[in-house]
Amino acid sequence: MFVPRRGPIAPRDAQDLMVWPFFSLAKNHRTRPIDFRMGDVAIRVEATHEHGMATIWDADVLIWAASQIVEARDAGHPTSRMIAARPHDILTFTRRGTGKASYARLKAALDRLQSTTIATTLRQPERGRCQCFSWINAWRECSDARGRACGIELIVSDWFYQAILQPQWVLTIDRAYFGLTGGLERWLYRLVRKHGGRQVGGWTFDLPHLHMRSGLLWPLKRFAFALRDNVSRQALPGYTLTLFAEHGRHWLRFVRSPEDCYAVALRRVGLAPVDKSS
């Protein structure tokens, strides 16, 4: 069993989870499947009526798990799909409250991650073959000899675990991500972080393609309206978004914002930059 370290570590995300529609972007109870196909990539996400589909906020648990496993791997420590954790550590890492309601929401997130099923052709050696899994194979609450709660144990899927063991398939994300409250802006940040990276010219997507990738049930018109709102607020940490029309289509361009010189200087002397997101 893998026991994560405590203390501040960099948040990491699996690239496949950042660019493909694996999660509901709505906070309401979704049971309608996501059925996505593009070229050789096929993804079907199904939910139970009891728990609903895992959301992009639930995915924070997977970001926490990926961050801990990558940190241990880079330090040369053994890792495992079975992870022992304190709910308090997950909640503080993901910038959640630590009251009774927050613990209840974490348990509900674990239930959705365990009950949501995914079938995908991604990372399958034989073309057209699918692998089926849930994000979490199982989880349970633990107690000590006196019956007092002492944490949880969870087992992440092998598909997810194999992805985060490969350095080229994991990216560090801005800790300010956890402060993003909207499902669309969270999804946009992850997509932008993967595709925008540090490229000078940024990256561009047309709106219908973005709409398809999001997995949202909204019509394109509503999606475009919500996207304009995100562009007007410029809420994504580290990136600047621009909407423009060209060749009869509407496009979204995202480029990396200039980095704060003071933050760069702090990193050079081994200090963490000032967090301006809170």
Side-chain angles (χ1 to χ4, degrees):
M1 181 182 297
F2 169 54
V3 180
R5 58 162 285 190
R6 292 173 184 169
I9 62 172
R12 277 97 164 193
D13 206 351
Q15 292 192 37
D16 283 340
L17 276 64
M18 299 169 78
V19 297
W20 303 108
F22 282 114
F23 302 99
S24 170
L25 305 188
K27 290 183 178 179
N28 61 318
H29 190 88
R30 174 171 175 170
T31 57
R32 183 171 167 181
I34 294 173
D35 201 348
F36 175 86
R37 293 180 181 274
M38 189 178 74
D40 292 336
V41 177
I43 298 169
R44 183 171 176 84
V45 184
E46 296 183 303
T48 65
H49 285 280
E50 179 182 3
H51 298 295
M53 185 178 293
T55 71
I56 198 162
W57 294 273
D58 300 338
D60 286 359
V61 176
L62 300 178
I63 294 175
W64 170 83
S67 305
Q68 292 289 351
I69 292 170
V70 169
E71 185 77 9
R73 179 204 67 195
D74 291 350
H77 301 314
T79 63
S80 168
R81 290 172 53 207
M82 180 177 286
I83 308 172
R86 295 194 314 166
H88 181 272
D89 294 338
I90 299 176
L91 292 170
T92 54
F93 180 87
T94 58
R95 293 190 170 182
R96 309 290 177 89
T98 54
K100 185 177 180 180
S102 296
Y103 281 84
R105 284 191 288 269
L106 175 59
K107 291 177 185 179
L110 292 167
D111 283 338
R112 285 188 292 270
L113 290 166
Q114 192 276 324
S115 62
T116 298
T117 57
I118 302 96
T120 182
T121 58
L122 281 170
R123 290 195 278 110
Q124 298 308 301
E126 294 185 45
R127 184 175 178 179
R129 293 292 181 89
C130 278
Q131 182 171 346
C132 300
F133 58 92
S134 294
W135 297 116
I136 293 176
N137 285 19
W139 77 275
R140 70 185 184 101
E141 295 179 275
C142 304
S143 56
D144 61 18
R146 295 184 178 183
R148 296 175 299 188
C150 62
I152 60 173
E153 293 176 358
L154 59 91
I155 305 173
V156 298
S157 71
D158 184 63
W159 188 92
F160 173 75
Y161 184 66
Q162 294 302 324
I164 58 180
L165 287 182
Q166 306 300 319
Q168 69 273 23
W169 290 347
V170 177
L171 288 175
T172 300
I173 63 173
D174 196 311
R175 189 168 292 279
Y177 167 79
F178 297 118
L180 299 177
T181 57
L184 179 61
E185 64 185 359
R186 278 175 156 249
W187 172 77
L188 270 176
Y189 172 79
R190 297 171 89 188
L191 185 77
V192 166
R193 174 65 185 92
K194 167 60 176 73
H195 286 287
R198 298 183 181 275
Q199 299 178 78
V200 176
W203 200 271
T204 302
F205 277 120
D206 68 89
L207 264 58
H209 181 84
L210 278 175
H211 179 240
M212 178 181 65
R213 279 212 179 206
S214 72
L216 281 164
L217 298 174
W218 299 347
L220 178 58
K221 187 175 182 179
R222 181 182 173 187
F223 175 81
F225 180 83
L227 201 59
R228 290 189 187 95
D229 176 65
N230 274 271
V231 171
S232 67
R233 291 187 292 108
Q234 293 294 334
L236 302 195
Y239 292 90
T240 301
L241 308 183
T242 307
L243 277 171
F244 65 97
E246 189 174 85
H247 305 304
R249 306 184 78 171
H250 289 87
W251 304 79
L252 176 72
R253 176 180 291 124
F254 37 87
V255 296
R256 191 167 182 85
S257 304
E259 191 164 21
D260 184 88
C261 295
Y262 181 61
V264 174
L266 286 174
R267 289 195 184 96
R268 283 175 180 167
V269 296
L271 299 175
V274 176
D275 189 347
K276 301 177 182 179
S277 61
S278 56

